[in-house]
Amino acid sequence: MDIGVVLQTTPPASRTIDLARRAETYGFSHVWTFDSHILWQEPYVIYSQILAETRNVVVGPMVTNPATRDWTVTASTYATLNEMYGNRTVCGIGRGDSAVRVTNGKPTTLATMRESVHVIRELANGRGVEYNDSTITLPWASRSRLEVWGAGYGPKALKMIGETCDGFILQLADPQLVAWMIDAVKSAASDAGRDPDDLTMCIAAPAYVTDGSDAGLEHARNQTRWFGGMVGNHVADIVDRYGADAGVPQALTDYIKGRQAYDYNQHGSASSEHVDFVPDDVIDRFCLLGPVESQIERLNELKSLGVDQFAIYLQHDAKDHTLAQYGEKVIPVMTEHALAKQ
């Protein structure tokens, strides 16, 4: 299993770049960032510097969207980074969240997301594509290689991702929900005549390594409660769009009944003041909290469910400690387990 890290592009950019550089040193495979150009700094500029100062990590957004960025510009950006630094990019994409909502916009339809995946992938892989009634290509991008991974929760999104994308991004680590959603994506891929094993399954959630004490666990919960609010906001959007019988598991929808509002100015922040509705048990299910041993146990459980990568949301007060603990104690054990099974 690969281990990635998800960073916010909060100023100064040098801090984001430093965390990315250290993540590679610790053995992390991917460096992801939020893509919300108003709330935080522009990620693609920062990717260029991360790639310049590393040799192996793959970079990409978790996640971009088809609404705030022209698809052809997005494809050209990836192809340019690939030409400059080798094929070390991946495009995570969804319908749109904070990047569009802070300008009073709305997420795109799944049909638009499907079309954008096709256009971005074809162009960034040096192939021609029909776009706005004309055939276009990036003639200089023949050596660029880009995968596009889709993010979503609802049944219709999971179906589209399985039919279309190269990978699946799920932003929670509840084993029950992970199993259900991975199965839905793989079933859709198989029904579409694709090999489901060709899709990469990426689970993203906060990880907080504690000392094993009750006080340490309570602090970790409070530092990661924002994540339950963020996920709940996505789920609420599905329920608003398709109704309470949208086909989303009850384990994912029950806890949002106490949700009142969502402040995007506090999006992804450990100091969020609008997430009191998220109970402790949801945080324990959605995130990886506890000492190293419990982190490894949970990672192995996720791996057994078909997860190929676990990406740590590093939005809390223990960024350096978490990187170090994973780099020194978790990643070596996971690597050793993988080698032992070969």
Side-chain angles (χ1 to χ4, degrees):
M1 176 191 287
D2 287 337
I3 304 294
V5 63
V6 187
L7 307 174
Q8 278 179 343
T9 54
T10 305
S14 58
R15 171 63 167 161
T16 306
I17 295 162
D18 177 62
L19 287 169
R21 185 170 53 240
R22 289 164 55 202
E24 177 176 77
T25 301
Y26 281 131
F28 286 76
S29 62
H30 289 66
V31 173
W32 304 87
T33 74
F34 285 60
D35 176 11
S36 197
H37 60 292
I38 293 175
L39 294 178
W40 305 291
Q41 292 180 318
E42 170 58 37
Y44 290 101
V45 177
I46 296 174
Y47 294 161
S48 187
Q49 192 63 30
I50 291 173
L51 291 168
E53 298 193 19
T54 58
R55 294 187 177 184
N56 299 307
V57 292
V58 175
V59 303
M62 190 172 285
V63 292
T64 192
N65 69 84
T68 58
R69 298 184 184 276
D70 181 273
W71 308 345
T72 63
V73 176
T74 296
S76 182
T77 300
Y78 285 112
T80 301
L81 291 172
N82 286 340
E83 189 277 328
M84 292 174 67
Y85 303 108
N87 292 313
R88 294 167 54 201
T89 63
V90 60
C91 177
I93 193 167
R95 293 172 50 233
D97 186 39
S98 63
V100 296
R101 293 188 189 275
V102 295
T103 58
N104 290 324
K106 295 181 179 180
T108 66
T109 64
L110 287 173
T112 297
M113 180 178 163
R114 179 191 294 267
E115 185 181 359
S116 73
V117 168
H118 175 68
V119 170
I120 291 169
R121 182 169 52 203
E122 293 304 291
L123 289 177
N125 282 282
R127 298 187 290 264
V129 66
E130 293 297 316
Y131 182 73
N132 286 346
D133 297 323
S134 63
T135 301
I136 59 173
T137 188
L138 303 178
W140 46 269
S142 60
R143 296 184 180 180
S144 173
R145 295 294 178 267
L146 177 74
E147 290 191 351
V148 181
W149 300 2
Y153 296 97
K156 292 183 179 180
L158 301 179
K159 183 175 184 293
M160 187 277 291
I161 291 167
E163 294 172 344
T164 308
C165 297
D166 302 298
F168 170 45
I169 295 172
L170 175 59
Q171 293 159 315
L172 56 80
D174 180 331
Q176 177 188 353
L177 295 172
V178 167
W180 182 83
M181 293 190 185
I182 284 182
D183 180 69
V185 171
K186 288 194 171 186
S187 295
S190 181
D191 291 345
R194 308 177 72 199
D195 185 346
D197 291 335
D198 288 342
L199 276 70
T200 302
M201 302 294 162
C202 176
I203 300 304
Y208 198 113
V209 180
T210 73
D211 59 7
S213 67
D214 290 342
L217 177 59
E218 183 61 24
H219 180 75
R221 285 170 175 161
N222 290 331
Q223 283 290 303
T224 56
R225 201 172 303 275
W226 66 267
F227 184 71
M230 185 186 81
V231 173
N233 199 52
H234 293 312
V235 175
D237 184 56
I238 296 170
V239 173
D240 288 344
R241 189 178 183 87
Y242 300 110
D245 57 349
V248 178
Q250 192 172 352
L252 187 57
T253 58
D254 274 355
Y255 84 97
I256 68 168
K257 294 177 181 178
R259 174 183 175 274
Q260 298 296 320
Y262 192 83
D263 183 356
Y264 275 95
N265 291 314
Q266 298 179 9
H267 188 58
S269 172
S271 61
S272 295
E273 299 175 352
H274 55 275
V275 295
D276 290 343
F277 71 94
V278 183
D280 288 349
D281 69 293
V282 167
I283 301 305
D284 293 345
R285 285 166 32 215
F286 284 14
C287 306
L288 270 65
L289 312 178
V292 166
E293 295 75 19
S294 65
Q295 303 268 335
I296 293 172
E297 180 180 0
R298 186 75 165 277
L299 289 171
N300 280 322
E301 182 179 11
L302 293 173
K303 185 177 180 180
S304 72
L305 298 175
V307 175
D308 300 299
Q309 179 184 156
F310 176 70
I312 301 172
Y313 272 103
L314 205 63
Q315 284 72 52
H316 50 58
D317 63 359
K319 294 180 178 64
D320 298 315
H321 178 70
T322 300
L323 276 182
Q325 290 290 294
Y326 261 72
E328 296 171 3
K329 299 179 180 179
V330 176
I331 292 176
V333 171
M334 297 301 296
T335 301
E336 182 179 349
H337 287 178
L339 292 174
K341 291 183 179 181
Q342 290 181 356

